């Protein structure tokens, strides 16, 4: 292999730049040239390629977002789009791919490998942490800390005004952020799409006249929960009109900012190992870190297997909020 390409795709996540830097420097260390594909799969179709050198990835390890930009690309879902992308890679003598992103990125990469057999390795970059084959995804830790800081600030107002605050955090169809930040932020309840009983428990708590009198409460709701925070707000307000309730949707602030040390280290280790794997003949698989060891899982398994929530940690909320 003489030349590989790297790109970021799907939602940006803090640590993607640290990962790009590790990929480029590991390839260069092994005398392999690296091309950066701008704007994810869209740039692969449009032929937006830039040469990346050790110098061009200097001073990016600390930056959020992605210097290669990113997109969610509908055209890559078509056979014609992928054929154009393949022709562009061939024209540029690209022999391997490093694909940084979430499940949509992996799905595209698997289909592309099956059609054109260009070896590719995926790296989990998403704040949602919803990818099988790794304990944590790149960006998850930073997003947690951002959301936790926001909740700490909201607590001040909740406490001063004796209010209930419903805080909606990201997680398209998964409650990983909500669960972790709910525990770290001292929430009274956590509402996630994986649990169908949590809403019932929330209302039972408020109905229970023997419960400890609290002057204020934080309820963390995952974005992926049916109806989100607005639905919970309306239902609570209807049954308990006397409560002073406010809703805060944290939104995209969770995706930005400088990556935490944990995310930079994860991104760096996965970036280095993925290039090494590609050079050893790896293909059609993605990197992850389980119990502090780098491992690889086929795209197929990573896409098809649902990552389980840490149920023990989830069970703690009932003890801690009692
Ligand atoms: O996948 C990461 C994520 O931030 C999800 O939590 C969220 O549902 C989605 O992306 C938002 O995507 P967009 O920025 O395209 O609106």
């Amino acid at each position: 292999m003489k030349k590989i390409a790297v790109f970021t795709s799907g939602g940006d996540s803090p640590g993607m730049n640290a990962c790009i830097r590790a990929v480029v420097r590991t390839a260069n260390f092994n005398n392999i040239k690296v091309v950066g594909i701008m704007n994810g799969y869209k740039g692969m179709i449009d032929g937006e390629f830039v040469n990346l050198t050790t110098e061009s990835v200097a001073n990016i390890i600390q930056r959020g977002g992605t210097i290669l930009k990113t997109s969610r690309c509908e055209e890559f879902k078509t056979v014609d789009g992928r054929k154009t992308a393949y022709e562009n890679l061939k024209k540029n003598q690209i022999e391997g791919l490093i694909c940084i992103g979430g499940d949509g990125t992996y799905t595209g990469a698997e289909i592309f490998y099956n059609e054109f057999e260009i070896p590719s390795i995926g790296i989990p970059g998403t704040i949602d942490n919803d990818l099988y084959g790794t304990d944590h995804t790149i960006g998850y830790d930073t997003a947690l800390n951002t959301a936790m800081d926001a909740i700490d600030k909201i607590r001040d107002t909740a406490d001063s005004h004796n209010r209930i605050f419903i805080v909606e955090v990201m997680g398209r169809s998964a409650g990983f952020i909500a669960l972790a930040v709910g525990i770290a932020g001292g929430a009274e309840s956590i509402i996630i799409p994986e649990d169908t009983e949590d809403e019932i428990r929330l209302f039972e708590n408020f109905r229970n006249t023997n419960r400890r009198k609290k002057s204020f409460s934080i309820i963390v709701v995952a974005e992926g929960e049916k109806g989100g925070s607005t639905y919970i707000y309306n239902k609570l307000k209807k049954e308990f009109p006397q409560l002073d309730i406010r809703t805060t949707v944290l939104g995209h602030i969770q995706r930005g900012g400088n990556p935490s040390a944990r995310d930079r280290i994860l991104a760096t280790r996965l970036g280095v190992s993925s290039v090494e794997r590609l050079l050893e003949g790896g293909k059609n698989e993605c990197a992850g870190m389980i119990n502090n060891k780098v491992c690889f899982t086929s795209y197929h398994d990573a896409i098809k297997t649902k990552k389980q929530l840490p149920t023990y940690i989830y069970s703690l909320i009932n003890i801690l909020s009692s």
Side-chain angles (χ1 to χ4, degrees):
M1 229 176 240
K2 293 199 174 62
K3 201 198 259 186
I4 63 171
V6 58
F7 64 95
T8 49
S9 159
D12 65 332
S13 69
M16 280 182 162
N17 282 328
C19 192
I20 295 165
R21 170 183 178 268
V23 166
V24 172
R25 294 207 167 157
T26 308
N28 284 185
F29 182 78
N30 288 284
N31 300 314
I32 312 283
K33 291 202 170 102
V34 186
V35 162
I37 303 174
M38 301 301 295
N39 298 305
Y41 288 120
K42 184 176 178 304
M44 208 186 279
I45 295 170
D46 296 344
E48 294 178 77
F49 297 163
V50 290
N51 291 327
L52 294 176
T53 61
T54 289
E55 291 74 31
S56 57
V57 293
N59 198 25
I60 65 167
I61 193 168
Q62 79 286 11
R63 282 167 56 188
T66 158
I67 59 160
L68 294 177
K69 316 272 183 179
T70 185
S71 66
R72 301 191 193 275
C73 178
E74 286 304 311
E75 209 184 339
F76 198 75
K77 293 180 183 161
T78 68
V79 178
D80 283 353
R82 293 193 296 274
K83 194 158 171 290
T84 309
Y86 171 71
E87 282 157 7
N88 283 332
L89 295 181
K90 274 281 141 209
K91 213 171 8 177
N92 286 275
Q93 290 106 36
I94 290 161
E95 297 167 274
L97 291 172
I98 300 283
C99 323
I100 309 169
D103 55 351
T105 308
Y106 286 5
T107 303
E110 192 196 20
I111 296 170
F112 196 62
Y113 176 79
N114 289 338
E115 287 173 346
F116 301 107
E117 294 190 351
I118 294 191
S120 85
I121 305 284
I123 302 183
T126 166
I127 64 162
D128 285 359
N129 197 34
D130 58 348
L131 287 175
Y132 178 78
T134 189
D135 289 339
H136 294 150
T137 53
I138 298 166
Y140 172 61
D141 183 65
T142 308
L144 283 188
N145 283 295
T146 302
M148 186 186 69
D149 284 349
I151 288 177
D152 287 349
K153 293 189 168 80
I154 286 168
R155 289 177 80 85
D156 291 343
T157 302
D159 186 10
S160 305
H161 286 260
N162 298 328
R163 279 179 182 161
I164 314 285
F165 263 88
I166 302 171
V167 183
E168 182 179 303
V169 297
M170 272 191 168
R172 195 201 312 264
S173 50
F176 288 94
I177 298 178
L179 169 55
V181 89
I183 297 289
E188 161 137 21
S189 294
I190 301 171
I191 310 285
I192 53 176
E194 291 87 343
D195 185 350
T196 49
E197 306 283 299
D198 49 10
E199 198 187 306
I200 298 167
R201 285 198 302 275
L202 170 72
F203 281 82
E204 273 168 5
N205 269 351
F206 276 102
R207 281 180 208 124
N208 178 4
T209 45
N210 293 328
R211 76 199 269 267
R212 175 163 67 92
K213 281 273 165 279
K214 295 181 187 177
S215 61
F216 72 94
S217 285
I218 305 283
I219 301 166
V220 174
V221 180
E223 167 197 26
E225 172 75 13
K226 160 184 64 85
S229 52
T230 312
Y231 169 78
I232 301 288
Y233 172 88
N234 288 335
K235 249 186 118 176
L236 264 182
K237 201 66 192 161
K238 196 164 171 210
E239 186 166 337
F240 308 102
Q242 74 284 8
L243 293 180
D244 192 8
I245 313 175
R246 292 290 186 278
T247 301
T248 303
V249 178
L250 296 186
H252 286 80
I253 65 159
Q254 295 161 97
R255 287 244 295 266
N258 297 352
S260 65
R262 227 171 229 277
D263 273 330
R264 295 182 200 193
I265 293 166
L266 177 67
T268 301
R269 287 187 64 186
L270 295 184
V272 171
S273 297
S274 295
V275 172
E276 287 173 352
R277 182 78 165 190
L278 200 55
L279 300 184
E280 284 160 8
K283 53 195 173 197
N284 206 20
E285 59 192 338
C286 50
M289 181 92 74
I290 296 179
N291 292 333
N292 205 29
K293 280 208 171 64
V294 175
C295 54
F296 291 87
T297 307
S298 68
Y299 280 139
H300 183 80
D301 288 352
I303 297 160
K304 292 282 173 278
T305 320
K306 194 167 167 50
K307 183 174 183 176
Q308 296 304 311
L309 278 179
T311 42
Y312 167 69
I313 295 180
Y314 188 43
S315 69
L316 299 181
I317 191 76
N318 291 331
I319 301 171
L320 298 171
S321 65
S322 61

